[in-house]
Amino acid sequence: MSRILLAFLLFALLFTSLVYADCPEGTNWTVAWTDNFGNTTYTLTAPCKVYIGIPFTITATVTDDFCLNSWVASFWSILDNGELIAGSNRQNSIWTDANGQWQRVIERTYFGVPEDHTI
């Protein structure tokens, strides 16, 4: 079993955050940020604890009620212990749909020796 410590690195509108949490097995942990204008909200959700060899998902969501069908971020990435698992270190735009929503679901499976992960 591996405990997941979450950190969502999102390079959007001049902010980067690192957040840690410890939560019980069987629950999810969610972290959220809203931009300086109060328009765009970024969230990341992942399970608190996972098992070696059993797939799990990490969900990144962007919601913006003011910028429907438009670009809301330029540089974004999700790292797992330093490994790029989504996004890019180059420009990679997030476009919201007609409902002001963007979502990316990443499936992960860990193998080997259990260890803490920083996402």
Side-chain angles (χ1 to χ4, degrees), residues 64 66-72 94-101:
D64 192 317
F66 300 96
C67 298
L68 306 178
N69 286 322
S70 69
W71 171 84
V72 295
I94 296 173
W95 288 85
T96 59
D97 64 17
N99 296 317
Q101 181 87 14

Side-chain angles (χ1 to χ4, degrees), residues 77-97:
S77 62
I78 299 173
L79 305 175
D80 182 348
N81 280 358
E83 174 193 356
L84 181 69
I85 61 172
S88 173
N89 58 1
R90 296 171 296 150
Q91 186 170 349
N92 195 347
S93 299
I94 296 173
W95 288 85
T96 59
D97 64 17

Side-chain angles (χ1 to χ4, degrees), residues 1-2 25-26 49-56 108-111:
M1 180 170 45
S2 175
E25 182 177 348
K49 299 182 188 293
V50 298
Y51 291 92
I52 299 295
I54 298 177
F56 65 94
R108 301 285 286 169
T109 304
Y110 294 136
F111 298 99

Side-chain angles (χ1 to χ4, degrees), residues 9-11 13 17 19 28 36 49 51 58 63 67 71 74 79-80 82 92 113 115:
L9 300 178
L10 180 61
F11 301 100
L13 303 173
S17 297
V19 179
N28 286 334
N36 292 336
K49 299 182 188 293
Y51 291 92
I58 300 166
T63 304
C67 298
W71 171 84
S74 181
L79 305 175
D80 182 348
N92 195 347
V113 178
E115 63 180 274

Side-chain angles (χ1 to χ4, degrees), residues 31-46:
V31 64
W33 300 268
T34 300
D35 70 6
N36 292 336
F37 304 104
N39 295 344
T40 309
T41 300
Y42 305 88
T43 61
L44 180 76
T45 301

